[in-house]
């Protein structure tokens, strides 16, 4: 009987040369496949824009308005003839309503870090100032924020998002995969917005309120993430667009 020339693996013996070569080739191929698959997944991800925390900590002087959601109103300037309106939030999934209510209508210093996407900004309040009565209010002492400007009835199509995550606190901060997170943010007081998408242009973002111009209640949660049609009345507050509507005027597409 002749001895078999087939190599056989035995755990406590040295790996046969042919088997070692085979295992090396297979291992390299598997690693390469894993790396290639990872790059393919990255390449296939949608573009979530340039959103994120930007600019570092800064303090801003303006008039605080607590309704419908906390916001800081800044006087007009050359670049912003209608004035600026900056939405505010607390860190995490919490709105700044409690902190802002103490200073409603006052000239305040607000410190924090901007979350910015395609020109739209939200200020996450924090740092040394947070929200406090202004130390030097003289420069805007006579500033009275203009009333909301009505722009008429509209019907718009888009996605209802929570402002903070959509602007870059999360990536992705939109779509069905983000729905649970978005609803937690909205329940915590983060302002809802309607993102209206355009081909080859940045989305138009509109702050959503109920028909009376007040903060939305839990009814809006059912419409977060899917593509929807929204009927309502359009207003402008400074450089911020606001859409007044109610759940009965929101429909799935």
């Amino acid at each position: 009987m002749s001895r078999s020339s087939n190599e056989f693996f035995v755990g406590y013996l040295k790996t046969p040369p042919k088997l070692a070569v085979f295992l090396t080739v297979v291992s390299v191929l598997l690693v390469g496949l894993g790396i290639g698959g990872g790059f393919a997944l990255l390449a296939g991800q949608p573009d979530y824009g340039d959103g994120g925390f930007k600019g570092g900590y800064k303090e801003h002087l303006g008039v605080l308005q607590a309704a419908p959601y906390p916001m800081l109103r800044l006087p007009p300037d050359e670049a912003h003839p209608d004035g600026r309106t900056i939405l505010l939030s607390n860190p995490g999934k919490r709105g700044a309503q409690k902190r802002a209510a103490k200073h409603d209508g006052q000239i305040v210093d607000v410190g924090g870090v901007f979350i910015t996407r395609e020109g739209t900004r939200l200020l996450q309040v924090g740092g040394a100032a947070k929200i406090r009565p202004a130390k030097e209010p003289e420069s805007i002492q006579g500033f009275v924020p203009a009333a909301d400007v009505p722009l008429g009835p509209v019907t718009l199509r888009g996605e209802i998002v929570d402002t903070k995550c959509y602007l870059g606190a999360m990536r992705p901060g939109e779509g069905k995969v983000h729905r649970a997170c978005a609803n937690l943010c909205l329940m915590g007081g983060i302002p809802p917005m309607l993102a209206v998408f355009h081909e080859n242009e940045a989305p138009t973002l509109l702050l959503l309120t109920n028909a009376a111009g007040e903060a939305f209640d839990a009814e809006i949660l059912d419409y977060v993430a899917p593509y929807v049609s929204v009927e309502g009345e359009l207003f402008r507050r400074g450089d911020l667009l606001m859409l007044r509507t109610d759940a009965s005027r929101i429909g799935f597409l």
Side-chain angles (χ1 to χ4, degrees):
M1 179 183 294
S2 62
R3 296 180 59 186
S4 173
S5 60
N6 293 332
E7 296 182 338
F8 187 78
F9 175 76
V10 179
Y12 54 85
L13 297 179
K14 185 177 179 180
T15 304
K18 291 183 179 180
L19 184 57
V21 171
F22 172 77
L23 292 175
T24 300
V25 171
V26 170
S27 298
V28 170
L29 289 175
L30 289 175
V31 170
L33 183 62
I35 294 174
F39 279 113
L41 287 173
L42 288 173
Q45 291 295 311
D47 181 9
Y48 295 113
D50 62 350
F53 291 85
K54 299 178 182 178
Y57 177 82
K58 294 181 180 178
E59 295 183 9
H60 304 269
L61 176 68
V63 174
L64 191 139
Q65 293 181 331
Y69 303 94
M71 57 185 70
L72 188 68
R73 302 290 301 275
L74 279 65
D77 55 30
E78 186 174 345
H80 306 87
D82 298 316
R84 283 181 290 168
T85 303
I86 301 174
L87 291 170
L88 308 176
S89 82
N90 274 344
K93 299 180 180 298
R94 296 179 296 121
Q97 283 84 344
K98 288 185 179 180
R99 185 170 283 164
K102 303 174 184 178
H103 305 285
D104 188 25
Q106 298 179 9
I107 299 176
V108 295
D109 295 320
V110 180
V113 178
F114 276 121
I115 307 171
T116 304
R117 178 175 177 176
E118 295 160 341
T120 301
R121 303 184 299 175
L122 175 141
L123 187 66
Q124 178 175 283
V125 175
K130 297 183 174 66
I131 301 176
R132 68 187 179 203
K135 290 184 176 180
E136 299 178 0
E138 295 79 13
S139 63
I140 63 168
Q141 195 70 57
F143 170 56
V144 178
D148 296 347
V149 178
L151 301 177
V154 293
T155 299
L156 300 170
R157 295 181 175 184
E159 178 184 340
I160 296 175
V161 298
D162 75 280
T163 307
K164 187 172 186 178
C165 287
Y166 180 82
L167 294 181
M170 295 286 287
R171 295 173 67 87
E174 60 190 273
K176 294 181 180 179
V177 296
H178 183 255
R179 182 176 186 178
C181 181
N183 279 343
L184 286 174
C185 286
L186 297 181
M187 287 188 289
I190 302 297
M193 276 190 162
L194 177 69
V196 179
F197 303 103
H198 312 285
E199 188 174 358
N200 301 322
E201 293 182 24
T204 299
L205 299 178
L206 306 97
L207 182 69
L208 288 176
T209 73
N210 67 15
E214 302 166 343
F216 242 115
D217 57 23
E219 285 184 310
I220 200 173
L221 300 179
D222 292 335
Y223 300 98
V224 173
Y227 208 60
V228 293
S229 174
V230 184
E231 298 179 8
E233 301 292 326
L234 187 63
F235 291 81
R236 178 170 49 78
R237 180 177 295 190
D239 59 349
L240 177 68
L241 292 174
M242 303 171 61
L243 182 58
R244 297 184 185 181
T245 186
D246 58 55
S248 66
R249 304 178 75 186
I250 303 174
F252 297 110
L253 293 175

